[in-house]
Amino acid sequence: MSQTTGARQAQKQLSRRALMDAALRLLEHQSFSGLGMREVTREAGMSPAGFYRHFRDLEDLGVALVEEAVDSLHAMIRAAFAEQGEPEGLIDHAVQVIADHVREHRVHVRFIARERFGGVRRVREAIAAELERFTAEVAEALAAQPVSARWSEADLRMVAELYVDHMVLTAAALQEADAESEQRITATARRQLRLISVGRRHWAVG
Amino acid sequence: MSQTTGARQAQKQLSRRALMDAALRLLEHQSFSGLGMREVTREAGMSPAGFYRHFRDLEDLGVALVEEAVDSLHAMIRAAFAEQGEPEGLIDHAVQVIADHVREHRVHVRFIARERFGGVRRVREAIAAELERFTAEVAEALAAQPVSARWSEADLRMVAELYVDHMVLTAAALQEADAESEQRITATARRQLRLISVGRRHWAVG
DNA sequence: GATTTCGGCAAACAGTTGTTTACTCACTGG
DNA sequence: CCAGTGAGTAAACAACTGTTTGCCGAAATC
């Protein structure tokens, strides 16, 4: 870390946070490609020129948001896989972890869901790259499970992609749902995961 | 249809098309919430004020685009389910239909993928409503298949949602892929559908 | 304690935004 | 053939956009 000294750097990063939080707040009601940088600085209580002390562009800020959002996602997936046990319990646990995560990081989840196929190239590619790392991690975890002991690498990846897509989609659905829809969504997600699980058990490996 | 007379109405709808096409062209590189209406009229070669002869606001145009895009999707799914035969062939056929559809309606597919979780409420809700109709249609088609003869309504819907989500996601991936990635994506999609198919065959109904 | 560094601000810049106004003028219905 | 309808226009509007400039003052360095 290239810290010059304490108080200066600390205040700077506080302002940086203020900008990112302001952007996240604004992104609840619009997409990233519709965001203005005067809008962001205004929301953050900062003058327009101040923005350039922290980011070259708005896109720069977007990429920073992606990294932050996916960091918390990574922490989540590790938690979901940590708890080992019978497969059935693992599914319930994973869905619960997702629901908790969405409740705690709603704005981040919304951002990822919204911009995954959004209109800003650099942001979209940043998300794709992070989800790729993510998928690789899941594939590795799957390889360790007895169910998929003798599976080919390609098939492991295929299932990993299915899981990651399903997780992101479930998170996206939860993020814009009220309390009562949440029940319905998680219940469906559990059954879908169970269906996939059944498919895995009877997959003709080779 | 409330046609007053020929040439007048015909020219009007031509201009309307020009506006919608201009919007679709612009939406390749940005999201809907970042679209400007002067931008659209400029691209369409029309004066800004002329826009109001066709739409109350940009959101109106967005909803019109959703309906148009989903209409072509509906035609596609019917084609995919029309060809009956052994299940394996049905999967290959369905994926092929999707790939063809994306190649022919790239801009529409991009629009739906991008705005499904996008920043404009009315558009997002319009897409959700159409995909809901869509899911219901798939659930009905599934009920007719021997594999899911004695399944509950809830389980049929659960699988239908899985299929629709998977289809939209596959289409979204194809839409931004080059020719060589297309092979990889369709191959993965086929295997994933096959896995789900295996799951359905061994599902403990009840 | 003097000097440099640098985060943040106010002001100004040329362009752009959505919307309204009054206007043309080809097509329409009688 | 003639009055009326209505799609499209040009011009003007205040408000807003991203970016640059010079400056201030507090923190950091010596």
Side-chain angles (χ1 to χ4, degrees):
Chain A
M1 297 300 135
S2 67
Q3 57 171 20
T4 51
T5 9
R8 200 74 167 268
Q9 218 74 355
Q11 184 56 42
K12 178 166 184 179
Q13 250 171 354
L14 223 69
S15 301
R16 190 183 147 98
R17 264 253 61 83
L19 284 170
M20 291 173 72
D21 286 342
L24 283 171
R25 237 172 292 133
L26 292 167
L27 284 172
E28 292 185 30
H29 303 293
Q30 61 187 304
S31 331
F32 190 80
S33 86
L35 210 62
M37 65 138 278
R38 270 191 121 104
E39 200 183 0
V40 172
T41 55
R42 193 186 312 124
E43 174 80 15
M46 179 181 293
S47 90
F51 180 87
Y52 296 97
R53 304 285 186 201
H54 300 278
F55 304 99
R56 184 191 305 270
D57 269 336
L58 264 180
E59 298 198 357
D60 252 38
L61 189 155
V63 174
L65 284 179
V66 173
E67 282 163 13
E68 185 180 63
V70 179
D71 269 0
S72 70
L73 260 175
H74 263 277
M76 181 197 76
I77 198 69
R78 264 181 244 278
F81 270 101
E83 184 123 337
Q84 293 285 13
E86 78 269 41
E88 290 298 299
L90 209 155
I91 286 177
D92 291 356
H93 179 65
V95 172
Q96 191 54 50
V97 167
I98 292 175
D100 291 348
H101 180 81
V102 171
R103 221 173 292 115
E104 220 170 334
H105 299 88
R106 177 161 268 124
V107 285
H108 281 142
V109 171
R110 173 155 29 210
F111 175 63
I112 294 295
R114 195 159 278 179
E115 303 304 328
R116 181 178 184 191
F117 298 109
V120 180
R121 192 174 231 269
R122 272 178 62 199
V123 172
R124 200 171 57 231
E125 289 176 348
I127 294 178
E130 296 288 348
L131 286 184
E132 162 57 35
R133 289 203 310 143
F134 206 64
T135 304
E137 194 170 342
V138 172
E140 207 172 339
L142 289 176
Q145 293 184 331
V147 200
S148 38
R150 299 172 34 81
W151 283 42
S152 72
E153 293 251 344
D155 279 355
L156 286 173
R157 259 207 70 92
M158 175 232 15
V159 181
E161 284 179 26
L162 197 57
Y163 275 140
V164 170
D165 283 343
H166 186 264
M167 190 198 69
V168 174
L169 228 55
T170 303
L174 284 172
Q175 152 266 318
E176 60 182 1
D178 49 29
E180 66 170 329
S181 303
E182 188 178 316
Q183 297 290 329
R184 198 178 40 75
I185 294 169
T186 53
T188 303
R190 275 190 295 267
R191 293 187 92 101
Q192 290 171 337
L193 287 175
R194 216 157 275 147
L195 184 78
I196 294 172
S197 183
V198 171
R200 285 176 63 199
R201 260 202 304 280
H202 295 84
W203 187 250
V205 49
Chain B
M1 296 301 134
S2 66
Q3 59 169 19
T4 51
T5 10
R8 202 73 167 270
Q9 219 74 356
Q11 183 56 44
K12 178 166 183 178
Q13 250 172 353
L14 223 69
S15 300
R16 191 184 147 99
R17 263 256 60 84
L19 285 170
M20 291 171 71
D21 287 341
L24 283 171
R25 236 172 293 133
L26 292 167
L27 284 171
E28 291 185 32
H29 303 292
Q30 62 187 304
S31 337
F32 190 81
S33 87
L35 209 60
M37 64 139 280
R38 270 190 122 104
E39 200 183 1
V40 173
T41 55
R42 194 186 312 124
E43 174 80 16
M46 180 183 292
S47 92
F51 180 86
Y52 296 99
R53 304 285 185 198
H54 301 276
F55 303 99
R56 185 190 306 269
D57 38 49
L58 266 180
E59 298 198 357
D60 251 40
L61 189 156
V63 173
L65 285 179
V66 173
E67 283 163 12
E68 186 180 63
V70 180
D71 268 2
S72 71
L73 261 176
H74 263 277
M76 180 196 76
I77 197 68
R78 265 181 243 278
F81 269 101
E83 185 124 336
Q84 292 287 11
E86 77 269 41
E88 290 299 300
L90 209 155
I91 285 176
D92 291 356
H93 179 65
V95 171
Q96 191 54 49
V97 167
I98 292 175
D100 291 347
H101 180 82
V102 171
R103 221 174 292 116
E104 219 170 335
H105 299 88
R106 177 162 269 124
V107 285
H108 281 141
V109 170
R110 172 154 30 208
F111 175 63
I112 294 295
R114 195 159 279 180
E115 303 304 327
R116 181 178 183 191
F117 298 108
V120 179
R121 194 176 232 269
R122 273 177 62 198
V123 172
R124 199 171 56 231
E125 289 176 348
I127 293 177
E130 296 288 348
L131 286 184
E132 162 56 35
R133 289 202 311 142
F134 207 64
T135 305
E137 195 170 342
V138 171
E140 207 171 339
L142 289 176
Q145 293 184 330
V147 200
S148 37
R150 300 173 33 82
W151 284 42
S152 71
E153 293 251 343
D155 279 354
L156 285 174
R157 260 207 69 93
M158 180 253 329
V159 181
E161 285 179 26
L162 197 57
Y163 276 140
V164 170
D165 283 342
H166 186 264
M167 189 197 68
V168 174
L169 228 56
T170 302
L174 284 172
Q175 152 265 317
E176 59 181 2
D178 50 30
E180 67 170 328
S181 303
E182 187 177 317
Q183 299 288 332
R184 199 178 40 75
I185 294 169
T186 53
T188 302
R190 276 191 293 266
R191 294 187 93 101
Q192 289 171 337
L193 287 175
R194 216 157 275 146
L195 183 77
I196 294 172
S197 183
V198 171
R200 286 175 62 198
R201 262 203 302 280
H202 295 85
W203 186 250
V205 49

